[in-house]
Amino acid sequence: MSIAQTVSCLDGYDPDALRVDKAREAIRSCLSPMTHSEKISVRDALGRVLAEDIVPPINVPAHDNSAMDGYAVRFSDLEKSASLKEIGTALAGKPFPGKLGAGECVRIMTGAVMPDGADTIVIQEIVKKDGDRITIPQRQKKAQNVRYAGEDLAKGQAVLRPGQLLRPAELGLIASLGIGEVKVKRKLRVAFFATGDELASIGAPLKEGEVYDSNRYTLHGMLSRLGVELIDMGVVRDAPDALEQAFRQASERADAVITTGGVSVGEADFVRQLMSRLGEVLFWKIAMRPGRPMAFGKIGDAFLFGLPGNPVAVMVTFYQFVRDALLFMSGREAAEMPLLKAAAAETLRKVPGRTEYQRGILFKEGGAWKVRTTGQQGSGVLRSMSEANCFIVLEHERGAVKSGEQVDVQLFEGLA
Ligand code: AMP
Ligand code: MG
């Protein structure tokens, strides 16, 4: 099915006034998760997406063992007498070779295997020692301070599933099973370029009317944090031949192509003609601010995300649409960004009928979290993104916000 057919089936799909949630849904409905995988060492797997079940071949811990430094005892002995005979030592990695008889105990260290016959650990701090006689106070509990085999991970029961992001904890967990290699999804390949005749590259002096291209740098940063493979294709002029070549090359090399600039009214017509020759691309006007115009489509097997040119709009559309799409394509299980509530510390201008992503500063005042804007909210003011630590997300229907009202915020920390 074509992209146009797929998205036109969605309720309330209107390309000229597309709600943010609809745009996200439309993009999702066209994508599918990565199926290619590769085997790599656990050490290299940080930030990768698991492509197999991890099933423990052993119990973790492998043996019942002590959770504390102290004495391994038979609980039934403690009911008869408080005094036990110390008959040996169990260390981590050096089990006590014998068996505990009646009235006996073994000195034991954290992690040491429970000696045969023992069922309870008494911590060392509370006992009295006199030669090999150990006196134990009353009111111990049976089985206290014992860690049981398989308590952490049980042999044969899958502990990690495909789609799981591998974080430091997962690397350790996999290593604790004695597994040295894992199957992960192939990294998503993402090509990107900036378009615009006014763009100068770093190193060249600025001519009149030019601006330095900053979008490729924010994209580089945002994409790097997603753990995808980056293909930076530089700046491309607003010329049909140059654009056509760039789109062709990008779509041959990548799973996804991201461009900035050239999708706003005026420029769109010429890009539109080009696109209809190369693939299938939809041009949307999204009911949001910043970031109204956006293109989404497919060239060859690659998905295209045509973002606006304004630097803040690039970041907002990336975080609100592209991030989710790329994570989904990478095979990651759902990873929606949480929205938190905070009190607006000032009135916020907003008109109903579009979702706004104002750049905010979340701060603590008198024990309560409050949020204010960074001031100037123009979509070209990249400084607002740098000063902000969150987006203030003002939903579609909402009008102006009074000081003290609750608003949703999306923290930048964690957006990676
Ligand atoms: P456009 O969407 O191409 O009309 O661009 C909108 C605005 O964003 C214009 O002011 C452009 O100069 C600016 N712009 C476009 N691309 C970039 C870029 N790569 N870096 C910085 N500013 C840009
Ligand atoms: Mg442009």
Side-chain angles (χ1 to χ4, degrees):
M1 208 168 17
S2 74
I3 286 183
Q5 283 167 332
T6 307
V7 301
S8 63
C9 298
L10 303 173
D11 278 350
Y13 172 76
D14 175 0
D16 291 320
L18 194 57
R19 290 176 61 120
V20 166
D21 46 359
K22 277 289 150 203
R24 218 175 265 140
E25 191 185 335
I27 293 170
R28 265 292 185 102
S29 67
C30 299
L31 305 176
S32 46
M34 160 78 58
T35 51
H36 303 281
S37 62
E38 57 189 343
K39 201 119 187 156
I40 60 173
S41 79
V42 173
R43 201 184 280 279
D44 294 330
L46 185 66
R48 301 294 296 269
V49 181
L50 193 61
E52 62 178 346
D53 279 327
I54 297 291
V55 182
I58 53 166
N59 278 322
V60 176
H63 312 278
D64 296 351
N65 67 85
S66 176
M68 304 292 278
D69 293 343
Y71 292 87
V73 305
R74 294 157 35 126
F75 184 73
S76 57
D77 283 350
L78 303 184
E79 291 163 351
K80 295 168 209 138
S81 152
S83 174
L84 301 174
K85 181 169 188 252
E86 182 180 334
I87 58 162
T89 307
L91 303 174
K94 279 212 182 101
F96 173 70
K99 184 173 161 65
L100 241 73
E104 294 176 338
C105 68
V106 163
R107 173 100 175 104
I108 193 165
M109 295 296 153
T110 305
V113 174
M114 285 297 282
D116 229 7
D119 59 10
T120 301
I121 301 292
V122 179
I123 61 172
Q124 62 187 11
E125 289 81 357
I126 60 171
V127 308
K128 279 208 195 77
K129 186 172 161 72
D130 181 11
D132 64 356
R133 296 310 298 183
I134 305 296
T135 309
I136 292 172
Q138 287 184 329
R139 286 211 283 281
Q140 305 303 316
K141 289 202 188 77
K142 185 169 183 180
Q144 69 190 11
N145 303 321
V146 179
R147 299 191 289 218
Y148 291 98
E151 187 178 275
D152 186 354
L153 305 170
K155 183 176 171 176
Q157 286 176 21
V159 284
L160 298 176
R161 298 277 183 198
Q164 166 85 48
L165 175 70
L166 298 175
R167 303 167 302 171
E170 283 74 34
L171 300 196
L173 194 143
I174 293 167
S176 77
L177 300 171
I179 297 173
E181 284 196 321
V182 279
K183 207 161 114 185
V184 296
K185 309 261 183 191
R186 165 165 81 59
K187 273 193 186 182
L188 205 66
R189 295 186 190 119
V190 182
F192 59 104
F193 55 89
T195 70
D197 284 337
E198 77 281 29
L199 300 181
S201 289
I202 293 173
L206 268 194
K207 297 201 198 86
E208 198 185 338
E210 288 188 339
V211 293
Y212 282 117
D213 159 35
S214 59
N215 288 342
R216 266 189 318 126
Y217 290 81
T218 44
L219 278 176
H220 173 89
M222 294 186 292
L223 286 167
S224 297
R225 286 187 166 185
L226 289 188
V228 299
E229 200 177 301
L230 273 62
I231 306 169
D232 184 346
M233 300 190 53
V235 170
V236 179
R237 301 282 141 220
D238 287 323
D241 291 352
L243 280 170
E244 179 163 348
Q245 200 193 351
F247 277 120
R248 278 193 199 284
Q249 280 181 3
S251 61
E252 277 162 20
R253 295 169 63 185
D255 303 302
V257 178
I258 301 173
T259 64
T260 71
V263 286
S264 48
V265 195
E267 284 175 304
D269 283 345
F270 125 77
V271 182
R272 210 183 277 256
Q273 282 172 16
L274 183 71
M275 289 302 183
S276 57
R277 271 214 314 283
L278 291 175
E280 198 202 350
V281 177
L282 307 172
F283 287 81
W284 289 337
K285 289 193 184 74
I286 302 180
M288 71 187 290
R289 186 159 140 157
R292 204 161 94 96
M294 193 179 130
F296 170 67
K298 211 170 174 189
I299 306 172
D301 289 330
F303 283 93
L304 171 74
F305 300 89
L307 306 186
N310 272 312
V312 180
V314 168
M315 296 195 75
V316 171
T317 49
F318 182 94
Y319 282 136
Q320 301 309 323
F321 304 113
V322 184
R323 176 184 181 277
D324 178 78
L326 297 184
L327 293 182
F328 182 72
M329 290 173 79
S330 300
R332 276 265 292 272
E333 59 196 15
E336 202 184 329
M337 284 301 300
L339 287 179
L340 311 176
K341 296 265 184 224
E346 59 192 4
T347 56
L348 302 174
R349 283 163 58 178
K350 161 79 167 67
V351 292
R354 68 185 183 210
T355 306
E356 287 198 15
Y357 297 90
Q358 300 195 3
R359 274 71 73 209
I361 298 172
L362 188 69
F363 63 100
K364 208 171 179 182
E365 196 178 71
W369 287 98
K370 297 184 177 179
V371 68
R372 60 185 161 85
T373 71
T374 56
Q376 264 247 49
Q377 295 291 301
S379 66
V381 185
L382 196 51
R383 185 164 54 85
S384 69
M385 279 300 290
S386 175
E387 287 173 357
N389 61 11
C390 67
F391 285 126
I392 305 172
V393 184
L394 299 177
E395 56 272 35
H396 191 90
E397 280 81 14
R398 193 155 188 174
V401 176
K402 291 198 202 76
S403 176
E405 276 182 40
Q406 295 282 305
V407 290
D408 287 332
V409 299
Q410 196 173 43
L411 286 179
F412 284 178
E413 202 56 51
L415 257 182

